Amino acid sequence: MRRTLVIGNWKMNGSKEANANLVSAIVAEAGSVTDTDMALCPSFVYLSDIAKAVEGTNVSVGSQDVSVHLEGAYTGEVSASMLLDCSCKYAIVGHSERRQYHGESNLLVAQKALTAYKSGLTAVICLGETLSERESGQVEAIIGEQLQAVQSVMGADAIAKSVIAYEPVWAIGTGLTATPEQAQEVHQFIRSRLSVNAEKVSILYGGSVKSANAAELFAQKDIDGALVGGASLNAKEFIGIAAAG
Ligand code: PEP
């Protein structure tokens, strides 16, 4: 039985004060959510603050990225051991914004996932197709290629201990959501490609998830939770999504 997992990706939003208000509003309601695991991924610079604020609660902390390098002369990078130092449990890798704006390749994403895994973080590996790729019938080819890169670099055992997030690029921050059936089709495809403990791997959906559409997404057999962007900046929405699990 896979527990529902809801992860909030705060992206490059917030401030010390705004984050303190947001996290305290989330923590105040989190105790009422018993069937869903929750995590918050603020900007690197606020990780320690948020980790402190959720200490002793059922909410964990994760990062939005991780360096592929372990340490050394890599200006601006943040290593897995630093994230562990800040009490991170999860590290998102391969978010479409990293792929799109920072040129992250399938290979680099796979290497980051491996680094996270080997360091003791749970990698949240994002996969997703663009609108033109969907419209030209390439969904399985693109998702299959992204997944294959991770499988070759990490191996099946390591993927089985990671989390996968299917995030159609056209649904991120656009207000467009894949229908539950469209998402389920891709989740089922991803699961069919996992060769070790396929039934145990959590596959999250991401793309304009809100409290109003979470339940119908989570009702799908292979949708195990959500990676939430915009709606995670609103405590009531985030808790509403988690409570739908
Ligand atoms: C995301 O950035 O991972 C995401 C799914 O964003 P949104 O929920 O805003 O579409």
Side-chain angles (χ1 to χ4, degrees):
M1 184 63 189
R2 300 181 297 267
R3 264 177 76 78
T4 305
L5 172 62
V6 172
I7 300 180
N9 173 12
W10 289 0
K11 309 194 186 191
M12 201 175 71
N13 292 296
S15 63
K16 231 179 192 349
E17 191 185 347
N19 292 351
N21 291 335
L22 179 55
V23 75
S24 75
I26 289 173
V27 161
E29 297 299 327
S32 64
V33 179
T34 50
D35 294 334
T36 299
D37 293 326
M38 291 169 280
L40 302 174
C41 300
S43 158
F44 288 129
V45 297
Y46 299 120
L47 279 170
S48 293
D49 289 349
I50 302 303
K52 204 164 171 207
V54 301
E55 212 175 283
T57 74
N58 55 344
V59 182
S60 307
V61 167
S63 64
Q64 299 174 16
D65 188 23
V66 61
S67 176
V68 71
H69 305 290
L70 294 182
E71 64 175 346
Y74 300 103
T75 302
E77 292 278 273
V78 178
S79 73
S81 63
M82 293 170 182
L83 298 176
L84 288 164
D85 250 357
C86 296
S87 309
C88 279
K89 177 171 180 185
Y90 300 98
I92 298 173
V93 296
H95 190 280
S96 65
E97 287 151 15
R98 300 290 319 168
R99 293 179 188 260
Q100 194 181 345
Y101 307 136
H102 302 274
E104 294 198 4
S105 64
N106 286 346
L107 178 62
L108 179 63
V109 170
Q111 288 168 335
K112 286 186 171 192
L114 179 63
T115 300
Y117 167 73
K118 279 186 162 173
S119 307
L121 292 159
T122 300
V124 179
I125 306 162
C126 301
L127 314 174
E129 83 287 355
T130 63
L131 187 57
S132 65
E133 288 163 347
R134 173 164 282 267
E135 286 175 345
S136 57
Q138 294 184 79
V139 176
E140 291 194 356
I142 296 296
I143 301 296
E145 205 175 301
Q146 293 173 346
L147 186 59
Q148 180 55 44
V150 181
Q151 286 173 315
S152 322
V153 170
M154 268 188 122
D157 287 335
I159 292 192
K161 295 191 177 100
S162 305
V163 170
I164 295 175
Y166 168 56
E167 298 208 304
V169 179
W170 49 272
I172 296 181
T174 58
L176 298 173
T177 317
T179 64
E181 295 73 25
Q182 279 175 322
Q184 165 59 23
E185 204 177 320
V186 181
H187 281 233
Q188 189 174 27
F189 168 73
I190 293 170
R191 200 176 301 286
S192 75
R193 291 291 173 104
L194 302 176
S195 54
V196 171
N197 284 339
E199 288 305 317
K200 292 196 178 150
V201 177
S202 285
I203 307 178
L204 311 184
Y205 170 76
S208 302
V209 177
K210 329 180 232 324
S211 59
N213 61 16
E216 53 177 3
L217 287 161
F218 298 166
Q220 300 295 314
K221 181 173 173 287
D222 292 294
I223 300 183
D224 306 315
L227 180 53
V228 187
S232 71
L233 297 171
N234 177 309
K236 200 162 166 252
E237 272 297 300
F238 182 73
I239 290 293
I241 293 166

